[in-house]
Amino acid sequence: MYKVTLSSKDIPKKWYNMAADLPVELPAPSQTEEGQQLGNLPKVFSKGVLEQEMSQERWIEIPKEVRKVYKMIGRPSPLFRATGLEDYLDTPAKIYYKREDYSPTGSHKLNTAIAQAYYAKKDGVERLTTETGAGQWGTALSLACSMMGLDCTVYMVKVSFKQKPYRKTIMQIYDGDVIPSPSDKTEFGRKILNENPDHPGALGIAISEAMEDALLDDKAYYSLGSVLNHVLLHQTVIGLETKKQMEIVGEDPDVIVACVGGGSNFGGAVFPFVKDKIDEKIDCKFIAAEPSSCPTLTQGEYKYDFGDTAGLTPLLKMYTLGHDFVPPSVHAGGLRYHGMSSLVSLLVHEGLVEPRSVAQSDIFKSGTTFAKCEGVVPAPETCHAIKIGIDEAMECKKTGEEKNIIINFSGHGMLDLKGYDDFINGNLVD
């Protein structure tokens, strides 16, 4: 079976909440003695997502209005068998990839953008502010806001703003207002620019600007594309669909791989399977693939830290490189984040998830190999997962094991061709 599809009636009716089944208690958000970080949350987040952020319920109902839009954007997404890649690698492993690039915006990000815009509209606000790295999240929220009748302001990390100009164009098509960050639009942005007028930007800085913007506007909320519990909750439609598709195939997964920046597509892909591993129903390895240039899970410290550079967000217990860390200007802009989801961090700390880091040149090599074998050009972020998936398949070639490997194909790379061009012409530096 080379393509496994589900009908629209198979769209999950409930999101799965990993917080209900953790092996140990999740450390609660905190704040500094002089700060108001926790008090800021009701000012910038909708009631719906705040309830979900703190919820311990295992299943949370997906509103029918959100499920209707999921249907409009092509959910459920198909699961493909990568037979071309298998043949090229000459591996006994079976490689599957979940096609989140089928989304209109080309990535998994719409799964939570639609939900967040829905809950914001329900509360009566008029605008959402957000940050974006490579632009996938900003594109998704711009479309979601357009569909829900909201304005959208996107603070885009400046280096990605320059590297990926057509991401800006698509956001503008969806009526998103795109601002390169750091900017002169916020007090914190002006502070950064005064210190370094040529600052390349970072997701932590863009988050601070978007948070500040929302805090100063009673008719605006802030929206985050990864990291927080409710974001990963919304993304579990990916893993829930994949479980049904593997049941149709008649196989259990042995390895599931996804890239990690803040943790949203990874959590969405693996969380529905983690409980089965805890209950010893499956013996599956979960691998989180990150850039070696921003090695949050593999080299970061597990401690409380801010999610943004200015310290406007609550303190979260997570793996972090430090909230003032400025990553190199690698092409996988969506994975340039100093911290990590508290849920993903806990699972890594407890040994249920294995993190691995990979170099930029290696991931583009894997991406071009995949494109030649399967015909689909992966996003640089997705290439990290593909690199690890290929490594696992080659290990099977050595051992002769016929493992089932699932790669979450989080997005396509048709707007990331500058990175591929640099790789092909030998201009890519690790």
Side-chain angles (χ1 to χ4, degrees), residues 325-346:
F325 175 77
V326 178
S329 300
V330 293
H331 281 278
L335 304 186
R336 291 196 299 246
Y337 183 60
H338 70 272
M340 182 60 59
S341 153
S342 291
L343 290 168
V344 173
S345 294
L346 185 145

Side-chain angles (χ1 to χ4, degrees), residues 153-171:
T153 305
V154 182
Y155 291 88
M156 186 173 185
V157 175
K158 187 172 290 183
V159 64
S160 290
F161 185 89
K162 294 176 179 178
Q163 285 178 343
K164 306 172 192 295
Y166 296 117
R167 286 281 182 195
K168 176 188 70 173
T169 303
I170 292 183
M171 286 183 256

Side-chain angles (χ1 to χ4, degrees), residues 337-370:
Y337 183 60
H338 70 272
M340 182 60 59
S341 153
S342 291
L343 290 168
V344 173
S345 294
L346 185 145
L347 294 177
V348 169
H349 193 255
E350 293 299 313
L352 286 164
V353 167
E354 176 190 343
R356 294 188 199 173
S357 63
V358 288
Q360 181 171 240
S361 57
D362 290 337
I363 65 106
F364 276 104
K365 181 180 179 181
S366 297
T368 53
T369 296
F370 187 93

Side-chain angles (χ1 to χ4, degrees), residues 7-21:
S7 71
S8 57
K9 66 179 174 56
D10 292 314
I11 294 172
K13 293 181 173 62
K14 295 180 180 180
W15 291 302
Y16 169 66
N17 185 10
M18 187 72 242
D21 294 314

Side-chain angles (χ1 to χ4, degrees), residues 285-313:
K285 182 161 58 174
F286 308 112
I287 306 176
E290 66 180 6
S292 56
S293 58
C294 191
T296 307
L297 289 173
T298 51
Q299 295 186 36
E301 187 177 351
Y302 188 50
K303 65 178 183 177
Y304 274 98
D305 195 10
F306 295 110
D308 72 311
T309 306
L312 297 175
T313 64

